[in-house]
Amino acid sequence: MDIFLISDNHVSQSLELPDVVPLKGFLWIDATHEEVAADPEAWRNAIERATGVQIYDPHMTDTLNPNHPSYFDSTQDYGMVVFRKLMLNGAGGNGNSQAPANAEAAAPAAESDSSKRKIPAALSKLATQPVTFLIMDHALVTVHERYSRTIDATRTRLLELCNKTEKTPHAIRLPASPEDLLLRLINAMVDQYLDLRQPLTTQLDRWQRALLDPRRPFKDWMALLDARIELRKLENLCEEQHDAMQELRDYFVDIDDGIEISRAKDLLLVRINDVMEHITRVLNHARRLESSIESAVQIHFSAVAHRTNEIMRTLTVITALFMPLTLITGIFGMNFEVMPLLKNALGFWLTMGSMALVIVVMLVFFQRRRYLESQALDRR
């Protein structure tokens, strides 16, 4: 568990939770699910001693729930935000080399069967895990899985600032309040979703080309179905995140404690509006990709139907050309002793000429009826 005391121009790290609420600045208490689950009651009592706020039992249960959706709830003493972020192994982060294996072991049960499905690499990055934020007057408490790229990066920056002297100007403006730090963390988590837009678009463009390729039949139908399912999950995830941020925004508007001046409050509203706008962009992109998949499938079946019609038209023309020829040969194949042209020296050539004439007449008729137009002419 990491404890930081953040003030206007100074950051200090502590190994133990303080026994009194800080008068200046605020505390950032960062813990993992394993640390909280080891002794939830002791952890809650320590948070109460440091902040003067007791966490309710239902919120403790939500904090330790790995499958909890994005959510917001508030009490008179604190607000609670659960935000689902991309997993480190799913997001392709660089970080600790052991992080993917351990983070994968902590993935929700609903996502454990993803390896058994034909999910492409771009969509397999949508594995998520919850991060819980407890917003108090002078403290922000975060609970997450062991490896979190966003929180690790923020912790690293704060540790760098801790090692600097007070006279050294900070290149990074420190968070002014727990709410400010909360929005910075969530904004960085949402930006990870924005980074997925390009690989997702590239993967779906590849599928669209494969669907419309006439040289080889498309066979990855299960992968395409799994992709549609994953995009629907992403759409539902973004809707939950947007609802949680909307409730958090209303919470910021309604309360005045912890925000001393209206300018700071307006800055928080600007930040949360920016976060909501980013979530909306991800949501709209997921809907566009899902619509693109459905359109590509419809175009694929339309192309297959068009090709089938072309083949049937060709076979029909061939059949129509040979039907009168079959009739003529059938007539001359009758077992009659006396038939016109049967013993005539020119009978064979007259019959062949009449058959050729029939073919020419029918070809001219089909051409005038536009039954034999080529595909190149159709495209032109």
Side-chain angles (χ1 to χ4, degrees), residues 18 27-28 180 301 348:
L27 287 173
W28 178 27
D180 190 6
F301 285 114
F348 172 76

Side-chain angles (χ1 to χ4, degrees), residues 15-307:
L15 299 178
E16 296 182 356
L17 287 172
D19 294 332
V20 294
V21 179
L23 298 178
K24 294 183 178 181
F26 65 96
L27 287 173
W28 178 27
I29 305 171
D30 181 57
T32 64
H33 286 144
E34 295 179 356
E35 293 172 341
V36 178
D39 193 347
E41 195 63 30
W43 182 82
R44 178 167 60 177
N45 293 335
I47 296 296
E48 184 178 1
R49 287 195 304 270
T51 63
V53 176
Q54 182 182 17
I55 304 174
Y56 293 104
D57 291 337
H59 290 165
M60 287 294 299
T61 303
D62 294 340
T63 300
L64 298 176
N65 184 4
N67 298 320
H68 203 288
S70 298
Y71 172 76
F72 174 80
D73 194 13
S74 63
T75 66
Q76 295 181 353
D77 299 324
Y78 64 91
M80 176 181 177
V81 178
V82 179
F83 193 88
R84 295 200 69 89
K85 63 176 291 295
L86 291 174
M87 292 175 58
L88 181 60
N89 65 310
N94 41 18
N96 192 329
S97 59
Q98 298 178 353
N102 295 330
E104 193 172 295
E111 298 167 351
S112 61
D113 61 341
S114 61
S115 59
K116 301 179 182 179
R117 299 161 56 195
K118 297 181 179 180
I119 300 177
L123 288 169
S124 64
K125 299 178 181 180
L126 293 177
T128 60
Q129 60 187 14
V131 179
T132 302
F133 301 89
L134 299 173
I135 316 162
M136 304 172 186
D137 290 343
H138 297 282
L140 175 66
V141 180
T142 56
V143 182
H144 56 89
E145 293 294 339
R146 180 180 300 180
Y147 297 99
S148 175
R149 181 171 58 178
T150 302
I151 294 180
D152 288 346
T154 304
R155 185 191 305 116
T156 301
R157 287 196 297 268
L158 292 179
L159 289 175
E160 293 175 355
L161 295 177
C162 288
N163 297 328
K164 293 183 179 181
T165 61
E166 295 184 2
K167 297 181 181 179
T168 303
H170 296 307
I172 303 175
R173 188 177 65 84
L174 294 175
S177 63
E179 293 85 357
D180 190 6
L181 178 59
L182 163 71
L183 294 179
R184 292 189 185 191
L185 293 173
I186 292 181
N187 186 60
M189 294 175 185
V190 174
D191 288 343
Q192 296 177 8
Y193 287 94
L194 292 175
D195 294 338
L196 286 179
R197 292 181 300 173
Q198 183 59 40
L200 287 177
T201 303
T202 303
Q203 176 65 49
L204 293 182
D205 288 344
R206 191 179 301 118
W207 271 334
Q208 289 178 352
R209 293 181 180 274
L211 281 169
L212 300 178
D213 188 358
R215 295 172 296 178
R216 62 183 67 180
F218 185 79
K219 298 181 180 179
D220 295 335
W221 291 107
M222 291 304 300
L224 192 64
L225 176 62
D226 291 336
R228 190 175 184 276
I229 293 174
E230 292 300 312
L231 287 175
R232 182 61 59 85
K233 289 182 179 179
L234 177 60
E235 181 179 345
N236 294 335
L237 176 67
C238 292
E239 290 177 351
E240 293 170 354
Q241 291 175 345
H242 191 276
D243 292 341
M245 292 298 100
Q246 181 63 50
E247 294 181 7
L248 178 63
R249 185 183 186 279
D250 297 338
Y251 175 75
F252 286 164
V253 171
D254 293 339
I255 65 172
D256 293 328
D257 300 334
I259 305 178
E260 299 178 359
I261 56 177
S262 60
R263 183 176 180 182
K265 187 172 183 178
D266 292 339
L267 178 60
L268 290 179
L269 295 179
V270 170
R271 284 187 176 275
I272 197 170
N273 288 335
D274 183 64
V275 172
M276 294 173 63
E277 190 270 335
H278 286 185
I279 295 175
T280 302
R281 287 164 58 186
V282 178
L283 176 61
N284 293 335
H285 188 70
R287 289 173 176 173
R288 285 195 299 268
L289 292 180
E290 186 178 1
S291 177
S292 298
I293 289 180
E294 295 178 356
S295 300
V297 172
Q298 294 297 327
I299 294 175
H300 167 75
F301 285 114
S302 298
V304 170
H306 177 71
R307 186 169 180 270

